[in-house]
Structures are given as structure tokens and as C-alpha cells.
Amino acid sequence: AFMYPVLHELGFASQPTGISRDDGLKLRHAWIASVVRCAPPGDKPLPQEIRNCATHLAEEIQALPRVRVVVCLGKIAFDGYLAYLLQMGIIPRKSAYRFAHGAEYVLPNGMHLLATYHPSLRNTNTGRLNSTMFTRVFLRARELAGLAV
């Protein structure tokens, strides 16, 4: 896995690995939220599981008022965030936004939405996503957030 090493290299994480809740890893200028709160069978949540967790995601997003850039890790996260934006009236429809690795949108509220393939073993072991591709998305996020690199 290379998510935390990349986040560490770009200054978003205090260390390159995270193995337990008390290992000292701290995020800086970043927050990781989940569309679903549990690890579903096969790592593929059912639509009902996503809907069941939508209120938790909405509360978490609303508790972070200074967010300027959202990076969605995978299509499930992208679709879940678009559902939130639609429900909150921030976007009029989801069809204007298509998931792709490296996709970038400016939302009507001025926020930036970026997407990357999920850093799962399925994507990283097959080469669908590599460290360089992942790094580029987070470099762009730093730039859009106005953070020095």
C-alpha cells in the first residue's frame, strides 16, 4: 500500500505508515472520511449500506467547514459524495460529473472535486493505480488548496 507514504511525502501525514490507532500517525490539512462505516463483504457495499451511512457522511462533511478540496478515493466515494452534493442542493444533477482517475471539477460552491482510483490492493497489484498516479492527484489537491509544496 502506498497511500500513507504518498500522504507523508506530500506533508499530509506525520509518518509514512499507520498500523494502529495509537501509532502516532496524524494527518495535516487532510481528513479521511468513508462513504460506508463498515467493511462490507468483498469490499463492495450494497446501495442500501451506502444509503444507511449517508447521514454519517453528511454530518462529517458539515463538521469540516474549511474544506476547499475533496479527493474521492474510488468510484464508490465519488458517487457517494455526489449524492451528498445533490441532496444538499449544491449540484442540480450528478450526470454532469463523471468518475475517472485524475478527474477534476470546480463545484458551484467553489469547492474542487478530484478523483483517483481507490488505492486498494486490487488496483495497486494490477498496476491500474501506481504511486506516481496517486501522487499527481494529491499534488494537484495541495495546489488547489493553496498549500505550499
Side-chain angles (χ1 to χ4, degrees), residues 17 35 55 64 75 81-82 94 98-100 143 146:
T17 58
V35 171
T55 57
L64 301 166
K75 185 162 180 5
Y81 188 63
L82 289 180
K94 295 190 290 186
R98 293 180 48 96
F99 176 80
E143 179 183 336

Side-chain angles (χ1 to χ4, degrees), residues 22-100:
D22 302 315
D23 65 9
L25 175 68
K26 300 276 187 257
L27 295 177
R28 294 186 209 106
H29 304 294
W31 183 263
I32 298 174
S34 294
V35 171
V36 291
R37 298 291 233 200
C38 56
D43 286 332
K44 185 106 169 116
L46 299 172
Q48 187 60 47
E49 291 172 312
I50 294 170
R51 283 192 296 276
N52 289 348
C53 291
T55 57
H56 299 294
L57 179 64
E59 289 169 4
E60 206 166 338
I61 292 167
Q62 290 163 7
L64 301 166
R66 297 184 318 158
V67 171
R68 295 188 295 256
V69 180
V70 171
V71 177
C72 290
L73 305 179
K75 185 162 180 5
I76 292 170
F78 188 81
D79 290 345
Y81 188 63
L82 289 180
Y84 164 79
L85 295 171
L86 184 65
Q87 180 185 356
M88 299 306 294
I90 295 168
I91 60 172
R93 66 191 176 288
K94 295 190 290 186
S95 60
Y97 305 90
R98 293 180 48 96
F99 176 80

